[in-house]
């Protein structure tokens, strides 16, 4: 064929490259994860450039997201105290419930999603009920359901269970419907892997398990077929959007899930993935903006419709 076929013809200038680009990352595809506590606003050492927001500083973050064209935030609460029952997670005046109300009161148009889990609220740091060294699956479901309902009552636009207990999507769907929240979608962390890339998040939320690890409930990195079962089960139980997490070491999973299901697929570009780029940029060995563009593009190219990323605001504002 050569020299009839020259693939460089369509790469010769920016206009051609843009014309034939197969993938783009628009702010409307992004979800911005936000940490909130009852204390003061503070920059996070383990996630440079990100903050632990206060109830007072949160509305400004919401308006920044709206201005940048980012349609949604995903809230994580950092409670003052924890107990054996994770009661702070479903308290009507808990940190997340108050945060949701604070945002919705001022910015009704911003979508507010909430992480539904027990690990930040439970003394054990585990995502399910711990009894005698075991995580009890079925005993965790009513608590997770109660958390989800309390978030919906506070005004959350969608709930995102991240605990990886079996059957929780079905239990939460039933509880939401029973409490008059039939229109609240469930964004399921369907294929959530036991990953070292959650390190900065656990540091920020002090949510590392006190004993053991999460390998009896989060997925094993060696498995891909199992991720398809997780996703299909969650959809059968009523998940509206399914998530793969983390993103970068699991692009193959995103790709396989996208090929298999017909609900929107979300990927979570997690804290450790953010921290790596920040560290590379701080060391002077990476161009941060270019690296962020490349990473977000790769996640979209793999098949993610939506991306939760700590880069959401800076990326959208840089366009
Ligand atoms: C809670 C939860 C975690 C993350 C989101 N929800 C931590 C974990 O499972 O240990 C991680 C997010 C990130 O690293 O950015 N279960």
């Amino acid at each position: 064929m050569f020299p009839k076929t020259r693939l460089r013809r369509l790469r010769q200038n920016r206009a051609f490259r843009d014309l034939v680009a197969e993938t783009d990352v628009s702010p409307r595809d992004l979800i911005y994860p936000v940490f909130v506590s009852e204390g003061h606003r503070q920059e996070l050492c383990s996630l440079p450039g990100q903050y632990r927001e206060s109830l007072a500083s949160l509305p400004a973050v919401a308006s920044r997201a709206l201005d940048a064209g980012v349609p949604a935030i995903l809230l994580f609460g950092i409670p003052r105290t924890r107990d054996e029952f994770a009661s702070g997670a479903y308290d009507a005046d808990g940190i997340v419930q108050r945060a949701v109300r604070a945002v919705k009161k001022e910015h009704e148009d911003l979508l507010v999603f909430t992480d539904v889990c027990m690990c930040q609220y439970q003394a054990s740091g585990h995502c399910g009920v711990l009894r005698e060294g075991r995580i009890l699956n079925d005993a965790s479901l009513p608590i997770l359901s109660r958390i989800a309902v309390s978030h919906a009552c506070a005004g959350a636009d969608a709930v995102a269970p991240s605990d990886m207990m079996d059957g929780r999507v079905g239990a939460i769907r039933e509880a939401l419907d029973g409490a008059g929240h039939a229109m609240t979608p469930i964004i399921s962390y369907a294929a959530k892997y036991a990953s070292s890339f959650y390190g900065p998040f656990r540091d920020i939320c002090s949510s590392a398990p006190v004993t053991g690890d999460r390998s009896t409930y989060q997925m094993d990195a060696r498995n891909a077929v199992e991720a398809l079962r997780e996703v299909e089960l969650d959809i059968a139980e009523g998940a509206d959007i399914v998530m793969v997490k983390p993103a970068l070491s699991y692009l193959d999973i995103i790709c396989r899930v996208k090929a298999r299901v017909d609900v929107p697929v979300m990927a979570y570009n997690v804290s450790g993935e953010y921290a790596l780029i920040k560290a590379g940029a701080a060391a002077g060995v990476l161009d941060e903006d270019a690296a962020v563009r490349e990473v977000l593009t790769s996640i979209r190219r793999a098949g993610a419709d939506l991306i939760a990323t700590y880069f959401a605001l800076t990326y959208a504002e840089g366009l």
Side-chain angles (χ1 to χ4, degrees):
M1 287 296 269
F2 186 81
K4 239 164 74 183
T5 303
R6 291 180 187 272
L7 292 180
R8 289 188 54 204
R9 282 186 199 118
L10 297 182
R11 285 179 211 147
Q12 62 186 296
N13 61 39
R14 178 71 186 262
F16 269 126
R17 290 194 296 274
D18 285 348
L19 184 74
V20 301
E22 298 169 34
T23 311
D24 71 351
V25 181
S26 151
R28 72 184 175 86
D29 307 321
L30 304 179
I31 291 131
Y32 184 52
V34 180
F35 300 97
V36 60
S37 84
E38 322 239 0
H40 295 295
R41 180 174 203 255
Q42 193 173 28
E43 187 169 3
L44 301 166
C45 316
S46 42
L47 287 184
Q50 299 301 307
Y51 291 78
R52 192 185 69 197
E53 302 293 339
S54 66
L55 287 165
S57 64
L58 206 49
V61 177
S63 79
R64 217 182 129 194
L66 283 172
D67 289 346
V70 171
I73 60 171
L74 174 59
L75 281 180
F76 292 95
I78 306 175
R80 232 197 293 266
T81 58
R82 303 142 178 263
D83 61 23
E84 209 189 325
F85 315 100
S87 61
Y90 50 77
D91 181 345
D93 280 317
I95 181 64
V96 167
Q97 292 79 357
R98 291 178 68 192
V100 171
R101 290 195 294 265
V103 176
K104 291 308 272 188
K105 195 172 121 212
E106 303 212 17
H107 301 286
E108 212 195 320
D109 293 345
L110 185 76
L111 293 172
V112 178
F113 304 158
T114 55
D115 185 82
V116 171
C117 200
M118 296 166 66
C119 56
Q120 290 114 279
Y121 304 87
Q122 206 177 205
S124 68
H126 275 292
C127 304
V129 173
L130 179 74
R131 290 288 175 275
E132 287 156 17
R134 281 171 195 263
I135 304 295
L136 303 184
N137 191 90
D138 299 11
S140 302
L141 304 187
I143 301 177
L144 293 162
S145 301
R146 195 165 167 188
I147 299 170
V149 168
S150 79
H151 290 179
C153 287
D157 293 291
V159 293
S162 68
D163 52 283
M164 287 297 279
M165 296 300 121
D166 288 321
R168 92 273 206 213
V169 173
I172 290 173
R173 185 70 271 157
E174 202 179 301
L176 286 172
D177 291 357
H181 299 289
M183 288 300 285
T184 303
I186 297 176
I187 301 172
S188 156
Y189 287 73
K192 176 173 177 180
Y193 284 86
S195 169
S196 55
F197 289 98
Y198 308 147
F201 177 100
R202 290 181 191 168
D203 183 42
I204 292 159
C205 296
S206 316
S207 63
V210 175
T211 54
D213 58 30
R214 304 212 201 288
S215 55
T216 70
Y217 41 103
Q218 297 182 347
M219 282 189 58
D220 187 320
R222 293 171 292 187
N223 295 352
V225 175
E226 189 192 353
L228 302 177
R229 294 190 71 197
E230 280 286 3
V231 166
E232 281 177 346
L233 268 173
D234 281 7
I235 294 172
E237 289 177 30
D240 299 279
I241 295 176
V242 292
M243 204 193 301
V244 174
K245 175 186 174 187
L248 294 180
S249 300
Y250 301 89
L251 294 173
D252 58 324
I253 308 298
I254 297 171
C255 185
R256 289 173 76 160
V257 167
K258 180 62 185 169
R260 182 81 155 241
V261 306
D262 48 17
V263 301
V265 175
M266 180 163 150
Y268 198 139
N269 177 216
V270 300
S271 58
E273 299 173 331
Y274 175 93
L276 276 181
I277 290 186
K278 283 294 194 181
V285 295
L286 275 186
D287 172 336
E288 179 175 332
D289 290 345
V292 170
R293 260 197 314 279
E294 187 174 339
V295 158
L296 297 181
T297 299
S298 74
I299 298 170
R300 287 272 292 133
R301 193 188 62 234
D305 300 294
L306 307 169
I307 308 173
T309 176
Y310 302 94
F311 291 114
L313 297 192
T314 47
Y315 171 82
E317 287 166 350
L319 287 178

